Amino acid sequence: MHAAKLSKSERLIRVLALLKDRRWHSTWEIMQKARVCAVNSIAAELRANGKAIVCKQRYTGRAMVWEYRLG
C-alpha cells in the first residue's frame, strides 16, 4: 500500500485532528466530521506515518460499529 505523507494530506490531517481527543469515534462520525471515506484505509495510512491508531468493534444492539481512537 502506498501511504500519503501526513504533512501533505489534508484528509489525514483532518482525521488526525478529530482523533487527537483520544476518544472513540465511529466510522460514520469520522466520515461526517472529517469529510472522508474509507476510514479503515486512512487508519492504515496514519499507522504508516507513525501514529498509533486503535480500532475496535462494538455491538450497538442493532449493528456492529467500528470505532477508532488515537492510542
Side-chain angles (χ1 to χ4, degrees), residues 51-66:
K51 301 300 177 186
I53 305 299
V54 182
C55 178
K56 71 174 183 176
Q57 264 186 315
R58 181 174 57 87
Y59 184 64
T60 67
R62 295 179 9 203
M64 292 301 292
V65 175
W66 286 94

Side-chain angles (χ1 to χ4, degrees), residues 2-25:
H2 173 74
K5 292 187 182 205
L6 180 57
S7 61
K8 296 184 183 231
S9 173
E10 288 294 321
R11 65 189 173 84
L12 295 182
I13 291 168
R14 287 194 307 268
V15 172
L16 184 60
L18 178 64
L19 298 178
K20 280 193 173 181
D21 65 4
R22 299 191 184 270
R23 295 181 183 202
W24 290 104
H25 297 276

Side-chain angles (χ1 to χ4, degrees), residues 26-71:
S26 70
T27 300
W28 180 251
E29 179 184 359
I30 295 168
M31 290 172 65
Q32 294 296 305
K33 291 185 176 179
R35 301 178 326 276
V36 296
C37 297
V39 174
N40 59 330
S41 295
I42 291 171
E45 287 184 86
L46 287 169
R47 289 182 190 112
N49 278 275
K51 301 300 177 186
I53 305 299
V54 182
C55 178
K56 71 174 183 176
Q57 264 186 315
R58 181 174 57 87
Y59 184 64
T60 67
R62 295 179 9 203
M64 292 301 292
V65 175
W66 286 94
E67 297 180 319
Y68 298 83
R69 72 175 175 88
L70 190 60

